[in-house]
Amino acid sequence: MSKTPEESNKPAAAKFNWDLTLKIAAAVISAATLCFGIYQYVVKPKRDAAETLYKSKQELYNKAMESTAAFANASTQTEADTARKHFWELYYGKLGAVENAEVKQAMQTFGGAVKQWEDFNDPSDFTAPADFEYVPEGETKGVSFRDLSYRLTQACSRDLTNK
């Protein structure tokens, strides 16, 4: 039986071409590595910047929470003055660069209460912040500095959780 010209061009058994397969696999791996490198070059700086911002925000929020809590619990004029000074440094300083709207509102409310306390307080006859109540704008009931500090803490916590 003789083979037709078409049949003679076909190999007797289809052989697996390892050389071609390895070259294709190497090309695919090289392309994937290149794509991953480009992705890292583009995305990593953004991710690092977001992480740095989050850490700065966390640090500043912790300082703000500490200063408001220290002021709310101050039992002497010296303690109150130290905490108040620290609060105003944060208020007019770096905190404004990272705070969200809710934290900003809580800081402004606390700041309004501090200003009112400053006007009311007579250093010769010290009024502890714990003994002072403030009526925030839009509210009808007075709140303590501890309540205002707690509100700030909750606002900071929500912002950090929603990163």
Side-chain angles (χ1 to χ4, degrees):
M1 194 159 143
S2 70
K3 293 183 180 180
T4 65
E6 296 159 1
E7 291 176 344
S8 62
N9 290 342
K10 290 184 180 177
K15 293 183 179 179
F16 190 75
N17 190 339
W18 282 104
D19 186 48
L20 180 61
T21 303
L22 291 174
K23 287 178 180 177
I24 291 172
V28 168
I29 291 171
S30 295
T33 302
L34 177 65
C35 290
F36 183 72
I38 291 170
Y39 171 79
Q40 288 286 32
Y41 180 76
V42 171
V43 172
K44 189 169 179 354
K46 290 178 184 175
R47 189 174 50 235
D48 289 349
E51 187 176 321
T52 300
L53 176 65
Y54 180 80
K55 286 180 181 177
S56 295
K57 181 184 283 193
Q58 188 176 38
E59 181 183 327
L60 290 167
Y61 280 6
N62 284 336
K63 288 179 181 180
M65 291 183 287
E66 288 170 5
S67 70
T68 58
F71 182 80
N73 294 306
S75 58
T76 67
Q77 184 71 45
T78 304
E79 288 176 1
D81 287 342
T82 301
R84 184 173 52 93
K85 181 181 176 203
H86 192 229
F87 170 80
W88 288 122
E89 286 173 356
L90 290 165
Y91 185 90
Y92 290 115
K94 294 178 182 179
L95 190 62
V98 298
E99 67 189 354
N100 72 356
E102 185 182 10
V103 172
K104 179 180 179 179
Q105 180 61 46
M107 288 291 289
Q108 287 174 336
T109 302
F110 197 93
V114 170
K115 285 180 183 178
Q116 198 173 74
W117 176 85
E118 290 169 341
D119 292 340
F120 175 82
N121 184 51
D122 179 8
S124 65
D125 185 25
F126 175 69
T127 301
D131 298 331
F132 183 80
E133 283 204 347
Y134 173 72
V135 180
E137 188 176 321
E139 296 184 30
T140 56
K141 239 175 100 178
V143 293
S144 69
F145 278 107
R146 288 180 179 152
D147 292 333
L148 294 173
S149 179
Y150 180 76
R151 288 180 186 182
L152 174 68
T153 299
Q154 292 302 302
C156 292
S157 177
R158 279 190 290 274
D159 187 26
L160 292 172
T161 302
N162 295 328
K163 72 174 187 172

